[in-house]
Amino acid sequence: MAEISRAHVVDACRYFDSWVAFRLHAENVPGVQAAVLHEDDVVLSTAHGVSSVATDEPLTDRHLFRIASHSKTFTATAVMQLVERGVVRLDDTVVQWIPDLVESPISSVTVRELVSHAGGVIRDGRDGDFWQLYRSFPDRSELLRVAAADAAVLPRNERFKYSNIGFSLLGLVIEAASAQSYNDYVAEHIVGRLGLLNTGPEYVPSRAPEYAGGHSALSYADTRIPIDHVDTAAMAPATGFFSTASDLVQYTSAHFEHDERLVGDDAKRQMQHAEWDVGGTDTSYGLGFAIATIGDRRVLGHGGGYPGHITRTFFDPVDRLSVSVLTNAIDGPALAWATAAIRLIDLAAADQGGERRPSDELAPYCGRYASLWGVYDIVALGGRLYQLDPSVADPVMSPTRLEVIDDATLGIASTPGYGSRGERISYEFADDGSVASVRAGSGTTALPIDAFRDALQGRVRVGPGDPIRH
């Protein structure tokens, strides 16, 4: 895996911003907020689309999102802070901190088993319809009732068994060990310590206008319906947090190597060590963090699914890189888009052969072009030109590498499968230096996408001898 530089990240972010805006419309998602951090700097903080389909309010990078199971990373961090202080041990049993569970079948489950989803604990109880807002989220008494009666589903340490109930119980452990409410503890010792002004453990009604609206899915209806925000009560440690993409990448930077603002390196190594494979996937889970491999890059992070919001954050603690994508629909493709950002950064850094050129030399060729057959992008990444397809979910699935032949000509240096390797791409430029047209694969002419859209206006058909040209 090639080492990434700031220039690689900047190039990739410039294109990712354009790509995610295209995908937003292609996949009919109301809005997306995204951020990328490298080293200590937020390189990209962007938003596209609308906050609410009911009002058409433009989404901004300051709107607050419910980040749901990202909350587990904050809860796990709080637990490890208490472990570092010697107040809690990972091998403590749950009943040591929650005496109400003395008769519970999960009384002997340990803190470590809860944080790693190895306690065999039920996911959400037998009635999880609070996820559909049929009723309120469980309060403390209902949480304890579920834990006392229904919680034991599988034997401890049999396998990875995801549990929102288990992480909610960790909130009670934190309260007992710290003598603070869960919300107060994480607000002081995590959010406050990092100075995150747009992050918190639970819905804040006084900030209601700042929240991005939530929306239903298109898999069961032709239109999206707005979904209200609610308090998650005793389940805040599992799913209550709100944040922005920019705040999230800054938060995850505190989990980079040698950063001790929240916990020390020893605690981070424990949290980031794979405890369990997640069955049926190619991912694993540590202590509060999911672990995945994107290309050759090992990343950590978490996703979140809240009624109306789907979110995903990845970070690489070694190369000090973090990506967060937040969507405001229950079918939002946050995972795919966050993955795409990582892959674009790695493509920019990859050694693909050929000469690297300064970005300003490559800029005249770059753009989004359309023909009757579709859309393609010509992009400068890491000093090289690529032709990419924005109509697919993985923008680097089949990259075509291009090389400069002369001021108006590119060569197709490498391309997969049925591509036009060895052929030429020719440009026609307007008097102002902008691209008027491009003749590329199969010798077909494409126009800048806005010009192609204009040329389509008012047409009812395309026929022989009637080309679509501006």
Side-chain angles (χ1 to χ4, degrees):
M1 182 176 66
E3 182 178 351
I4 60 172
S5 69
R6 178 59 56 85
H8 299 146
V9 177
V10 168
D11 281 353
C13 286
R14 183 182 300 113
Y15 176 62
F16 176 70
D17 192 20
S18 168
W19 178 85
V20 79
F22 183 91
R23 296 305 306 161
L24 182 82
H25 293 286
E27 300 189 48
N28 199 9
V29 178
V32 59
Q33 189 184 90
V36 177
L37 176 143
H38 181 232
E39 298 289 350
D40 298 321
D41 300 318
V42 177
V43 179
L44 175 70
S45 180
T46 190
H48 298 279
V50 298
S51 170
S52 170
V53 298
T55 65
D56 282 338
E57 176 192 0
L59 186 72
T60 73
D61 65 354
R62 299 177 302 280
H63 273 98
L64 308 178
F65 280 73
R66 304 303 293 276
I67 57 172
S69 288
H70 283 75
S71 306
K72 296 178 175 68
T73 71
F74 290 86
T75 299
T77 301
V79 167
M80 294 306 294
Q81 288 178 336
L82 294 167
V83 168
E84 283 189 322
R85 286 167 46 191
V87 179
V88 172
R89 296 182 310 128
L90 288 173
D91 291 331
D92 286 347
T93 61
V94 67
V95 75
Q96 288 176 247
W97 292 105
I98 313 175
D100 300 50
L101 299 183
V102 65
E103 300 296 331
S104 168
I106 66 165
S107 62
S108 59
V109 170
T110 67
V111 170
R112 181 190 299 275
E113 290 161 356
L114 291 180
V115 180
S116 62
H117 294 293
V121 179
I122 198 168
R123 184 183 173 110
D124 291 291
R126 297 186 185 276
D127 178 2
D129 274 337
F130 46 84
W131 284 113
Q132 301 193 77
L133 309 191
Y134 286 14
R135 62 188 185 87
S136 298
F137 274 73
D139 59 13
R140 179 189 175 99
S141 62
E142 184 178 354
L143 172 63
L144 290 173
R145 182 194 61 75
V146 172
D150 301 329
V153 177
L154 295 176
R156 295 163 50 205
N157 297 306
E158 179 180 88
R159 54 165 292 150
F160 177 84
K161 171 68 175 69
Y162 194 76
S163 175
N164 287 313
I165 295 296
F167 258 84
S168 300
L169 292 173
L170 286 170
L172 301 187
V173 172
I174 291 165
E175 290 184 346
S178 68
Q180 290 182 273
S181 72
Y182 171 81
N183 290 359
D184 286 348
Y185 181 90
V186 293
E188 177 183 349
H189 296 278
I190 300 178
V191 177
R193 193 174 293 183
L194 298 179
L196 302 177
L197 300 179
N198 291 313
T199 301
E202 188 54 271
Y203 179 58
V204 181
S206 63
R207 300 187 71 175
E210 300 176 59
Y211 284 80
H215 300 90
S216 61
L218 293 178
S219 57
Y220 42 70
D222 294 332
T223 59
R224 296 189 185 275
I225 305 299
I227 302 174
D228 292 341
H229 292 284
V230 297
D231 193 296
T232 60
M235 295 189 72
T239 194
F241 263 78
F242 68 86
S243 192
T244 63
S246 178
D247 266 17
L248 277 172
V249 294
Q250 293 176 77
Y251 158 65
T252 55
S253 74
H255 289 276
F256 290 172
E257 288 185 346
H258 312 311
D259 189 315
E260 300 202 355
R261 286 176 293 169
L262 296 182
V263 292
D265 277 353
D266 182 67
K268 287 199 290 285
R269 280 190 289 270
Q270 292 184 71
M271 297 178 76
Q272 297 172 16
H273 173 74
E275 295 276 326
W276 292 92
D277 291 334
V278 179
T281 76
D282 57 0
T283 65
S284 54
Y285 204 88
L287 300 181
F289 283 108
I291 304 165
T293 301
I294 300 175
D296 295 326
R297 185 175 299 282
R298 183 181 187 266
V299 294
L300 299 104
H302 223 290
Y306 180 84
H309 287 178
I310 299 294
T311 56
R312 175 67 61 162
T313 301
F314 289 124
F315 69 96
D316 179 342
V318 179
D319 278 351
R320 306 178 70 79
L321 175 71
S322 182
V323 170
S324 186
V325 174
L326 315 180
T327 62
N328 60 347
I330 211 163
D331 54 358
L335 171 59
W337 293 356
T339 301
I342 296 287
R343 287 175 58 77
L344 283 166
I345 291 167
D346 283 340
L347 178 61
D351 184 4
Q352 296 284 329
E355 180 186 2
R356 293 186 186 268
R357 290 173 176 256
S359 295
D360 59 350
E361 290 186 18
L362 302 178
Y365 306 100
C366 295
R368 178 162 291 148
Y369 306 106
S371 74
L372 189 63
W373 286 91
V375 179
Y376 60 83
D377 292 333
I378 293 182
V379 186
L381 294 172
R384 297 188 177 92
L385 285 173
Y386 294 91
Q387 182 178 341
L388 304 179
D389 183 355
S391 69
V392 297
D394 180 358
V396 303
M397 179 174 63
S398 301
T400 292
R401 185 170 62 80
L402 310 173
E403 57 188 10
V404 177
I405 304 299
D406 59 41
D407 289 348
T409 311
L410 303 178
I412 300 176
S414 65
T415 188
Y418 294 94
S420 302
R421 187 184 183 112
E423 299 184 24
R424 300 287 176 94
I425 295 176
S426 58
Y427 282 73
E428 180 184 342
F429 292 96
D431 292 341
D432 64 0
S434 63
V435 175
S437 66
V438 182
R439 188 180 292 277
S442 299
T444 55
T445 299
L447 305 179
I449 190 167
D450 289 341
F452 191 80
R453 285 177 178 144
D454 290 345
L456 283 177
Q457 292 299 314
R459 284 180 175 266
V460 295
R461 59 181 290 278
V462 175
D466 185 23
I468 303 170
R469 60 188 176 194
H470 194 55

